[in-house]
Amino acid sequence: MIKKEDLPPCPVATTVQLIGSKWKLLIMRNLLKRPWRFNELKKDLDGISQKILTSSLRSMEEDGIIVRTVYPEVPPRVEYSLSEMGESMRPILDAMEEWGTEYKKSMEG
């Protein structure tokens, strides 16, 4: 997890550092619906490479945004879900969705 002293002094910059990449935002968008498996995310996120998905999931787990759950099955099943901290970002993503919808509407006319 990131140490407090390593975070930017600006709260907006802190949020951008944690979820500011295109892929992290889209991963979060999916995880707001339900837990996902790696291959499901890879299939759904058109254009993401395995390397970027892996590194994004790892950093989001280290930052406490998501939880990685390994089920003791053969073969092992791994699911990613939002942590309580990640779930607390729901209003931010909802606001982004609302703003994007309104912006697209404004471009129609």
Side-chain angles (χ1 to χ4, degrees), residues 92-106:
I92 296 167
L93 286 140
D94 287 347
M96 291 175 76
E97 179 182 18
E98 192 176 309
W99 187 89
T101 300
E102 291 304 314
Y103 181 80
K104 287 169 97 174
K105 282 182 189 172
S106 76

Side-chain angles (χ1 to χ4, degrees), residues 24-68:
K24 285 182 180 180
L25 284 168
L26 294 177
I27 290 166
M28 287 192 68
R29 174 203 65 194
N30 285 19
L31 295 180
L32 282 168
K33 296 176 197 165
R34 62 173 174 84
W36 289 66
R37 294 173 72 173
F38 184 90
N39 285 334
E40 290 179 310
L41 286 167
K42 174 97 176 60
K43 243 180 248 174
D44 192 70
L45 301 171
D46 192 35
I48 194 169
S49 70
Q50 185 160 334
K51 180 182 176 189
I52 295 295
L53 180 55
T54 299
S55 69
S56 296
L57 290 169
R58 277 196 188 131
S59 74
M60 292 170 77
E61 184 181 10
E62 288 169 11
D63 294 339
I65 305 297
I66 66 170
V67 176
R68 181 179 184 264

